[in-house]
Amino acid sequence: MSDLSSKYVLQTAGFDARFPNTNQTRHCFQNYTDYFKCIAAKGEEFAPCKQFKRAYNSLCPNEWIAKWDEQRENGTFPASLEP
C-alpha cells in the first residue's frame, strides 16, 4: 500500500469563490469551457491551462466529458469556446 501512496498524489479542484455552494455542476462546466478557451488562445503546452483540465476531470462525470467532447467534434457544443 505504501508503494501506491508514494507513487500517486490524489488531488481535487481547489476552492473557487465563484462557486461557493456544494453543487459543483457550474464549476465543472466552467472549467471545461475555460480549458478549451485557454488552449485556443495559448496552446496545449501552456501550463496554466492544465489546471483547468485537472479541475474538470476531477469535478465532472466522465459521461458528461464524453458527451461534450462529441458535441465539440460535431460543432453542436452549447457554449462558445473562442478565447
Side-chain angles (χ1 to χ4, degrees):
M1 180 91 171
S2 63
D3 291 338
L4 288 177
S5 63
S6 64
K7 195 174 190 181
Y8 299 101
V9 176
L10 299 177
Q11 293 180 332
T12 60
F15 176 74
D16 189 335
R18 297 176 298 172
F19 307 98
N21 298 325
T22 57
N23 185 342
Q24 294 296 305
T25 302
R26 291 191 64 215
H27 191 184
C28 152
F29 185 77
Q30 188 65 52
N31 277 286
Y32 184 87
T33 57
D34 285 348
Y35 172 72
F36 287 100
K37 287 178 182 181
C38 185
I39 64 170
K42 301 289 186 174
E44 289 190 42
E45 298 305 315
F46 189 61
C49 294
K50 294 177 182 177
Q51 176 57 35
F52 293 124
K53 186 172 185 172
R54 282 192 296 271
Y56 84 72
N57 276 316
S58 173
L59 293 167
C60 302
N62 292 334
E63 294 81 17
W64 293 6
I65 296 170
K67 180 180 178 182
W68 293 337
D69 287 344
E70 185 178 313
Q71 288 175 336
R72 277 188 314 101
E73 291 170 7
N74 295 334
T76 59
F77 189 70
S80 171
L81 297 176
E82 297 297 318

